[in-house]
Amino acid sequence: MNLHIQRWLFKLDDESDGRGVAYCDVVKHLNCYSWALKEMSKFGDKWSKRWAHEPTYVKILEEMPELLSRFARPANTDIYASWEVYLKAYLTQGGIIEAHPPSDSITSLTVTMLIEPDHSVRLVSCGDHIHAESAYSCWGLSFPQTSVEPKTLNEACFRIADACKQRHIVGYFDIDFVTFIDAKSEQQVLWATDLNISYTDHVAMSQLLFYMTNGKLDADTHTFRVPVTSGEESSSRPKKSRSKSINSTTSSNDSVSILNIYID
């Protein structure tokens, strides 16, 4: 039982961009929470055993219907005006219940991957989310991502890609992540939260960015390099790149930072 999770999220299967999200701050309103913590402390390492936590589990379940009806809220009230309206859609369409990261400082990011027909895999683009009306709605991306070490993020992405290949998935797909600092370990944590198997807006806009800048993303270092052209060459698309480049990691005189290219 995850008693340390303060907020739980509900996500509809057939919505996107935070439209189908609802949330409930369970811990704040759970009457038996203090008692449940004492029970967890009493059983210690045995808490994971069903016989140890089942009485607590049953007691929490008894409180949940009333707690949800009073305190659960849709994130987008323009679409789902109340919890009752949202719950009807949730029971009709289906969805998932997901833990909200236990942190006040959370960064969201999206990585686009491609599985070719020959089963080769490559990372196409990656960016940190720029939020719109709420933390659950993404307005655009800051490209390329700078929130997670490239090696760590790549390992997670390629493991997910391997799982997709085993299920005979081919083509583009987006992986959404959240990252935060764990309060106990003080280490950065990376959670995968969503998988969108389609040619998404993120794919289209990143391809447009590559075309307009003639730039290339280094998938190993998450560095985006753009050829620098002279004023005479800028009037037309260059056929041949010069040696100068723009990237996000160097500080030489021939380069400048390009950490914030916005994709919408």
Side-chain angles (χ1 to χ4, degrees), residues 20-36:
V21 175
Y23 61 89
C24 184
D25 295 318
V26 174
V27 168
K28 187 186 299 184
H29 306 293
L30 193 64
N31 293 328
C32 67
Y33 184 66
S34 297
W35 171 81

Side-chain angles (χ1 to χ4, degrees), residues 44-118:
D45 294 340
K46 297 183 177 64
W47 181 246
S48 60
K49 305 293 184 182
R50 181 173 179 177
W51 59 265
H53 67 247
E54 188 165 20
T56 307
Y57 175 73
V58 171
K59 192 170 184 64
I60 291 174
L61 280 184
E62 291 175 352
E63 289 191 34
M64 289 309 297
E66 182 180 357
L67 188 150
L68 290 174
S69 64
R70 294 180 60 189
F71 302 110
R73 298 287 184 271
N76 191 328
T77 54
D78 291 334
I79 301 174
Y80 304 100
S82 66
W83 168 250
E84 289 72 23
V85 175
Y86 179 89
L87 182 61
K88 183 178 179 180
Y90 187 89
L91 296 176
T92 301
Q93 300 177 25
I96 62 169
I97 301 175
E98 179 182 295
H100 187 280
S103 173
D104 294 328
S105 179
I106 303 164
T107 300
S108 307
L109 56 151
T110 294
V111 179
T112 297
M113 304 290 290
L114 172 62
I115 301 177
E116 301 280 8
D118 63 359

Side-chain angles (χ1 to χ4, degrees), residues 116-145:
E116 301 280 8
D118 63 359
H119 293 169
S120 61
V121 180
R122 64 184 178 93
L123 188 149
V124 177
S125 68
C126 56
D128 297 318
H129 287 193
I130 302 170
H131 294 295
E133 294 83 4
S134 74
Y136 310 114
S137 179
C138 177
W139 175 81
L141 299 179
S142 176
F143 177 88
Q145 74 82 26

